[in-house]
Amino acid sequence: MRLATLPALCALALLTVGPARAEPLKPERRIEATSDFAGKKGKAANDISGIACRPPAGGEWRCLIVNDESKAAQFATLTQTTIKPERPLPLIGDTAPAASGRQPAIGCPKPGGFGEFDGEGVAYADRSFYVVGSHGCSRHGGEYRPSSFLLARIPPGNGQAGAPELSWRVSDLLAAAGEVAPYLGKPLDAGTNGLNIEGLAVVGDRLWLGLRAPSLDGRAFLVGGSVAELFKPGSEPATAKPQLLAFAAGAQRGVRDLAPLADGRILVLVGPAQDQEVPYAIVLLDPADPSATRELGELRQRKNAKAEALTILTEERDELRVIVGYDGVKNGEFEEYRLKLR
C-alpha cells in the first residue's frame, strides 16, 4: 500500500513546490520621476501597474505606462537616472467602443457601468504597444465593468502613436483556457480565486496573458493566443484553442507582470495572488520547458509598495538590466536591478 501511494505523493509535492530559489535582489539605483504621472482627480498616480519600452535610441527609452484607475495610458522618456512623464494617450471614452469581436457576457456577482480601462499589462513588439485590461470583476464590489475587458494595440503613427485598435476577444481565450476557465467572472478573493490578468507579453504572433489568479496547487498560469486572430476585423469571436501554460510559482503566488527576452523566454514578476503575505520575485520561464522555471531573485519588502511593473532595458549574454515599478506609492518609485542568467 505504501509503495502504491508513493508516486502520487511525489507528484503532489512537485505541484506545490516553487521555482528554484536565488539570492535576494538589491536595487542598483532609484529612477526618479521628473514630474508626476497623471492620477485620479489631478493627483499624482500611485497605482502604476505596467510598463513596456521601445529599444533605446541615443541613451533614452520611449516607454508606455499604465495605472489601473484610468481610461488612458501615458508615454514617458526613460534615461539612466530619470523617467519623464509625457502626454496621456486615451484608450477608451465614456461608452463602449467599436472593437474587434463582441462584448462578452461575464457572470460577475453584480452588473456595473462602463468605467476605467483598468490597465494591468503593457507590451511592445513589432513597433506597436499593447495594453490589456484586468478582465476580472471589480476587486471591491464584484462588478462586471465591460471597460476592463478590452485589449488595445497602439500602432506607430505620425512619429508618435496612432489611434488605439481595440479587441474584445481576450475573453474568448480565457473562457476556453482549460482548468482556469471556470474562474472567469468569479470574485477576486482568496476563497473563490477569481481570474484576473496582470501581465502581458508579445513574442511574434503569440500574445501571452499572465494571470495573477487563479493560483492552483502552487502553480501560476499564462494563456497564449494569436495576435492576428485577436485583432482580425469583424464581430466573430476567437475560435482557435488557446495555449495554457502552467509553471511552479510557489503557494499563493501569481503573475504580476511579464517581460520577454529576445530568445522567447519570459521574465515573470510573481507575487501574491490576492493579498497574502508572500514575497515578490522575478523568475525565468521558458515556454518550451515550463518545468525548468528558475527564480532569479526575490525583491525586498517595501512598505505599502506592490511590485507590478517590469521591463527589460538591456540584454547581454548572461545579464539583464531591468526596472521594476510599484503600485501603492507615488509615481511608481521605479528601481533598476541587474539579473544574472547563469
Side-chain angles (χ1 to χ4, degrees), residues 232-257:
K232 69 182 180 182
S235 60
E236 298 81 9
T239 57
K241 183 178 180 180
Q243 182 177 355
L244 180 64
L245 190 157
F247 67 97
Q252 301 179 321
R253 290 207 299 196
V255 176
R256 305 308 286 259
D257 206 0

Side-chain angles (χ1 to χ4, degrees), residues 21-72:
R21 303 294 294 272
E23 293 297 320
L25 296 171
K26 296 181 180 179
E28 295 276 321
R29 60 179 62 83
R30 173 76 60 85
I31 306 294
E32 299 290 344
T34 60
S35 59
D36 289 336
F37 285 99
K40 298 189 74 171
K41 299 180 180 180
K43 297 181 180 180
N46 66 353
D47 50 8
I48 298 297
S49 55
I51 182 173
C53 302
R54 296 191 315 206
E60 296 182 342
W61 290 260
R62 175 79 163 166
C63 304
L64 188 67
I65 290 170
V66 292
N67 63 64
D68 59 11
E69 296 188 13
S70 176
K71 297 177 185 288

Side-chain angles (χ1 to χ4, degrees), residues 175-197:
E179 66 179 307
V180 303
Y183 297 88
L184 180 63
K186 302 297 184 184
L188 306 185
D189 57 60
T192 52
N193 220 358
L195 185 152
N196 67 316
I197 295 170

Side-chain angles (χ1 to χ4, degrees), residues 19 220 247 249 253-257 268-272 279-283 295 299 307:
F247 67 97
R253 290 207 299 196
V255 176
R256 305 308 286 259
D257 206 0
V268 185
L269 177 61
V270 296
Y280 292 83
I282 299 174
V283 304
E295 185 175 301
L299 298 174

